[in-house]
Amino acid sequence: MAIHASADPVKDEPPITAKGRDHWAFKPLQTTPGKTGIDDFIKADAKADPATLIRRLTFDLTGLPPSSEAVRAFVHQSHPSYEALVDKLLASPRYGEHWAQWWLDLARFAETDGFEYDAERNRAWQYRDWAIDALNNDMPFDVFVQKQIAGDLMGDETATGFLFACPDMPDLNKQDERRHVLLNDITTTVGSVGLGLTVGCAQCHDHPYDPISQADFYRLRAFFDNTVLPKERKPLGPFVRVFTEGVPASTVFVRGDLKRPGPAIQPAFPRLFGETPPNADRAALAKWIASKDNTIFLRTMANRLWQQHFGTPLAAIPGDLGHQGEAPTNPALLDWLAAELPRQNWSLKKLHKAIVMSQHYQQADLPPKRLTGEMLRDAMLSVSGQLNLKTGGLGVKLPLPKEISDTLLKKQHEVNPDATEHNRRSIYTFARRNLRHPLFELFDRPDAQMSCARRNESTTAPQVLMLLNSEFAHGIAAKLATDLNAAHGADAAALITDATLRCLSRQPTKQEIEAGRQFLQKQTSLTPSFQEALADYCLALLNSNEFIYVD
């Protein structure tokens, strides 16, 4: 499609056509009479066994493996109470810690600026903790989103850390250029996260595929114009405040060029979605975006929630529901989920429960999902009994391999002096934009340069090398072996049973016990001690597909 750029993007603004509006994501939600739940829209096969269910559910809702005690209790009940387990996990503080990472990916959150100096943001962690607490408290999801756009106008300024989580260059010589880049990033992110559209494609010209003009982009940006007034070498934020003096007039910029300001404009919603109320401010924008009448917001969020539970979204490109995106594989189900969120009084936990209580979710043959790098690290610490569940506070700076730390500036490779802090959950580790932790980077943590609606899932040789050879992996295996040895001595069957239960959340088969016994016998002859052989066995379990994937 031809790109339309103009010297006067307001005067030459194309009208919204019927063809532009005729797209599934822009239409009202469709209702299906007589269908009241997920299983009315999609067929389920045979139910998974209890051990598979508790591992799947616990990882999905908390990001951690179930304890051996929890597995035994659930599996050995004559009538396991699945719903009670769901409610218990949703009420756990571990829930918010896990699901906040999903949101922080969308928010392009990091605790440094990025660019050359990657300066630290000393209060960025407060926004991270806000997101965790809000999700744990089941803050109504419309309010959760609204506060991140206009929390300073709603008595909750910490939430606006969302807007200022973007990369920044405080030492830029031209602060007007810095402001221009920041405002474009904020606008792009709000459009992507809140509307599921690539509105940033209209910074320099009219959007080539969706009915969003360049003037639409700058009208949306105008809602934020009085929030960004940077000073040289001064960090952004950490939270939004409204400036009343010295704010440049809101204009379009011809071809996105700061040096070519165009006609003045007023803040307004994209024309595609109807009229903007008179004198609308940022709070009005927030309430419009996260409202029961904004069907593209509802579809976007329902699609992303489904993706997190099943690994694949209903509409394949969760960051773009526009004309270049793909239609949902089950549009009726997506619309039911979208309508269910406000129907449940915007309770995200109730929507989670509706999903995981479905027969579709509980079936045996769901595609396996690989653990993220953060979940892998947390799971390894958990099964070895080392996970520190302390919550909140400054990001923890972890030790880095020498070959990495030697390349950094002195302040960039500081390590928390308290070694117990190194074993806290990954959500609380210091998020440096220019350097992700090696385990997180290898397992596709996004770089926080822009909003990420769906992580890549690569398969590479370095992933294997990290899990087999790293100091961290060997330390986990050694600690697990020490605990097992202390509990069971040299009883191979008991050792293998306990190790399998801890790592894989199930009992081993007779064949696995025998294979493990033979491995320990052979490996003991090759290593200095039985405990080291046991550590090698534990390392093998930690590298198994069954540990790294959740069925």
Side-chain angles (χ1 to χ4, degrees):
M1 181 177 291
I3 290 177
H4 179 256
S6 167
D8 190 336
V10 174
K11 179 182 177 182
D12 296 336
E13 187 172 30
I16 305 294
T17 65
K19 182 179 179 182
R21 294 183 188 277
D22 188 23
H23 179 64
W24 66 269
F26 305 153
K27 296 178 180 179
L29 297 179
Q30 303 300 304
T31 58
T32 309
K35 296 191 175 183
T36 59
I38 291 168
D39 295 316
D40 292 328
F41 296 92
I42 191 166
K43 183 181 177 181
D45 293 325
K47 189 174 181 178
D49 62 84
T52 298
L53 276 180
I54 189 173
R55 187 170 192 266
R56 177 188 299 170
L57 184 68
T58 308
F59 266 118
D60 261 11
L61 295 184
T62 71
L64 293 171
S67 67
S68 300
E69 296 75 20
V71 174
R72 288 193 190 97
F74 186 72
V75 169
H76 293 152
Q77 288 178 16
S78 55
H79 299 287
S81 179
Y82 180 74
E83 185 172 6
L85 177 62
V86 171
D87 292 338
K88 179 180 179 181
L89 294 172
L90 286 171
S92 167
R94 311 286 83 81
Y95 160 82
E97 292 170 342
H98 173 55
W99 280 88
Q101 187 61 62
W102 160 66
W103 189 261
L104 295 182
D105 281 4
L106 291 168
R108 77 273 193 246
F109 172 80
E111 295 176 78
T112 61
D113 287 337
F115 295 102
E116 181 180 0
Y117 294 107
D118 205 24
E120 294 183 9
R121 298 174 173 177
N122 296 326
R123 294 175 62 192
W125 60 270
Q126 294 173 338
Y127 168 68
R128 175 251 287 152
D129 282 1
W130 178 89
I132 293 170
D133 291 342
L135 292 170
N136 271 331
N137 294 328
D138 204 18
M139 179 183 287
F141 193 67
D142 58 339
V143 176
F144 176 78
V145 173
Q146 289 164 8
K147 285 188 172 184
Q148 296 183 65
I149 298 171
D152 56 311
L153 307 178
M154 302 169 68
D156 200 350
E157 68 171 11
T158 307
T160 62
F162 168 83
L163 297 177
F164 285 174
C166 51
D168 184 24
M169 195 183 297
D171 61 326
L172 199 64
N173 290 331
K174 297 180 178 179
Q175 289 298 299
D176 56 348
E177 181 181 349
R178 178 187 176 198
R179 178 177 184 269
H180 184 61
V181 171
L182 288 170
L183 284 167
N184 283 356
D185 182 289
I186 290 168
T187 307
T188 297
T189 301
V190 169
S192 173
V193 175
L195 302 175
L197 295 173
T198 56
V199 298
C201 289
Q203 294 178 47
C204 306
H205 48 72
D206 296 337
H207 199 291
Y209 302 105
D210 295 327
I212 298 172
S213 69
Q214 190 183 4
D216 278 328
F217 177 86
Y218 285 101
R219 291 189 195 103
L220 182 60
R221 187 182 114 155
F223 284 107
F224 307 100
D225 275 350
N226 63 358
T227 68
V228 180
L229 205 59
K231 294 182 179 180
E232 189 171 357
R233 301 190 184 281
K234 296 290 185 181
L236 191 64
F239 314 125
V240 165
R241 56 171 287 201
V242 173
F243 292 96
T244 56
E245 297 180 357
V247 179
S250 297
T251 69
V252 297
F253 289 90
V254 177
R255 293 184 178 269
D257 186 350
L258 176 64
K259 299 176 183 177
R260 299 179 65 187
I265 48 157
Q266 295 297 316
F269 311 156
R271 295 165 303 142
L272 170 65
F273 302 108
E275 296 294 324
T276 303
N279 303 313
D281 62 1
R282 197 162 26 92
L285 172 69
K287 290 177 181 178
W288 167 71
I289 285 178
S291 72
K292 64 181 178 60
D293 298 320
N294 189 354
T295 57
I296 195 166
F297 168 76
L298 297 175
R299 285 187 175 111
T300 295
M301 295 306 169
N303 190 48
R304 289 172 177 163
L305 202 66
W306 184 270
Q307 167 192 304
Q308 293 304 110
H309 279 292
F310 295 98
T312 304
L314 291 166
I317 307 176
D320 186 4
L321 299 194
H323 285 273
Q324 280 294 96
E326 295 186 24
T329 54
N330 193 328
L333 172 58
L334 179 58
D335 280 9
W336 182 88
L337 286 166
E340 189 69 4
L341 188 53
R343 194 158 49 225
Q344 294 287 2
N345 295 317
W346 297 96
S347 170
L348 204 59
K349 288 188 177 183
K350 288 182 179 178
L351 190 54
H352 282 300
K353 185 172 181 179
I355 291 172
V356 301
M357 288 298 296
S358 69
Q359 294 303 307
H360 178 71
Y361 179 84
Q362 296 179 55
Q363 66 184 324
D365 292 329
L366 285 184
K369 291 192 304 177
R370 195 179 72 186
L371 301 181
T372 64
E374 296 92 333
M375 292 168 75
L376 264 175
R377 177 181 173 274
D378 291 352
M380 294 169 80
L381 288 168
S382 181
V383 300
S384 63
Q386 298 182 87
L387 186 62
N388 178 352
L389 292 176
K390 176 183 173 182
T391 61
L394 291 167
V396 177
K397 295 178 179 178
L398 300 178
L400 292 168
K402 189 175 186 300
E403 61 269 21
I404 294 177
S405 62
D406 283 351
T407 68
L408 303 175
L409 299 174
K410 183 177 179 180
K411 194 172 181 180
Q412 292 179 341
H413 62 81
E414 291 177 342
V415 176
N416 277 64
D418 183 355
T420 64
E421 291 281 294
H422 302 169
N423 292 341
R424 291 182 63 192
R425 286 203 73 173
S426 297
I427 189 78
Y428 297 117
T429 60
F430 188 78
R432 183 171 291 284
R433 203 178 302 268
N434 282 7
L435 180 69
R436 289 161 282 175
H437 186 278
L439 180 61
F440 302 160
E441 182 170 15
L442 283 175
F443 283 89
D444 307 302
R445 177 171 172 143
D447 60 13
Q449 299 297 328
M450 62 181 67
S451 178
C452 177
R454 186 179 187 182
R455 292 188 176 192
N456 292 329
E457 192 169 299
S458 64
T459 303
T460 64
Q463 292 168 346
V464 179
L465 297 174
M466 168 67 74
L467 293 180
L468 270 176
N469 298 334
S470 69
E471 184 178 343
F472 174 72
H474 278 264
I476 294 290
K479 175 61 166 60
L480 182 54
T482 298
D483 291 352
L484 291 169
N485 200 208
H488 306 292
D491 184 341
L495 290 166
I496 293 162
T497 298
D498 197 355
T500 304
L501 194 58
R502 292 191 194 202
C503 294
L504 308 181
S505 307
R506 63 168 177 81
Q507 294 286 333
T509 63
K510 291 180 180 179
Q511 292 85 351
E512 287 171 334
I513 291 175
E514 181 55 33
R517 193 193 311 273
Q518 292 178 17
F519 176 88
L520 288 173
Q521 185 177 8
K522 181 178 180 180
Q523 198 69 3
T524 301
S525 67
L526 301 174
T527 56
S529 68
F530 176 79
Q531 188 163 310
E532 289 191 44
L534 181 58
D536 289 341
Y537 178 79
C538 293
L539 185 64
L541 280 181
L542 296 171
N543 277 268
S544 66
N545 272 351
E546 196 172 346
F547 181 80
I548 297 168
Y549 286 81
V550 176
D551 287 330

